[in-house]
Amino acid sequence: MQYAKDGITPVEIEAVIRQLEAYSAADLYESNKAGAFFAPYEFFYGWRKTAGGDLIEKDGIDSLYSIIKGLFHPTRLCDVIRNFVYLPDASRREEKILCRHPQYYAATKL
């Protein structure tokens, strides 16, 4: 391994990645699911609506378009990063919680 030759251990690599994770609000998997960086896969969720008023949830390749037009719409993404990413104060673990689309649309309708 190149890292072993350079004297960098896997633990040091993980520490650097965790420091960079502080700047990441959302991660997108190949299955068109979004979630917080380093969260277990079961906490990732598909963003299946482009706007809160959509009647039909998208699935398959259409879900890729809906996550790009929905979550990654510039205005909505800024709103999610600012108001819908939760960083627990009392947690012993480094964790970050990202809202799901039903939570986002319900909260913004209030």
Side-chain angles (χ1 to χ4, degrees):
M1 248 178 110
Q2 180 65 33
Y3 298 116
K5 292 178 187 175
D6 293 339
I8 301 171
T9 66
V11 173
E12 292 172 324
I13 294 169
E14 184 177 341
V16 169
I17 292 172
R18 291 211 177 265
Q19 288 174 352
L20 293 173
E21 186 263 338
Y23 302 103
S24 172
D27 190 20
L28 180 65
Y29 270 117
E30 62 188 49
S31 59
N32 305 331
K33 293 184 177 187
F37 202 61
F38 282 120
Y41 183 74
E42 63 263 13
F43 294 111
F44 277 69
Y45 193 77
W47 195 280
R48 297 173 187 238
K49 292 186 176 186
T50 56
D54 294 353
L55 298 177
I56 301 174
E57 292 188 353
K58 310 290 191 298
D59 213 2
I61 193 69
D62 290 334
S63 68
L64 176 62
Y65 297 118
S66 70
I67 201 166
I68 291 171
K69 292 178 183 177
L71 175 61
F72 292 112
H73 183 277
T75 306
R76 195 169 294 119
L77 182 61
C78 288
D79 190 31
V80 167
I81 291 170
R82 185 173 186 184
N83 300 311
F84 293 92
V85 175
Y86 176 62
L87 303 164
D89 292 332
S91 177
R92 294 179 184 256
R93 299 179 297 163
E94 294 179 19
E95 58 186 354
K96 188 181 296 185
I97 301 169
L98 180 71
C99 70
R100 297 177 175 187
H101 80 270
Q103 296 164 329
Y104 175 79
Y105 291 123
T108 54
K109 280 186 176 182
L110 293 176

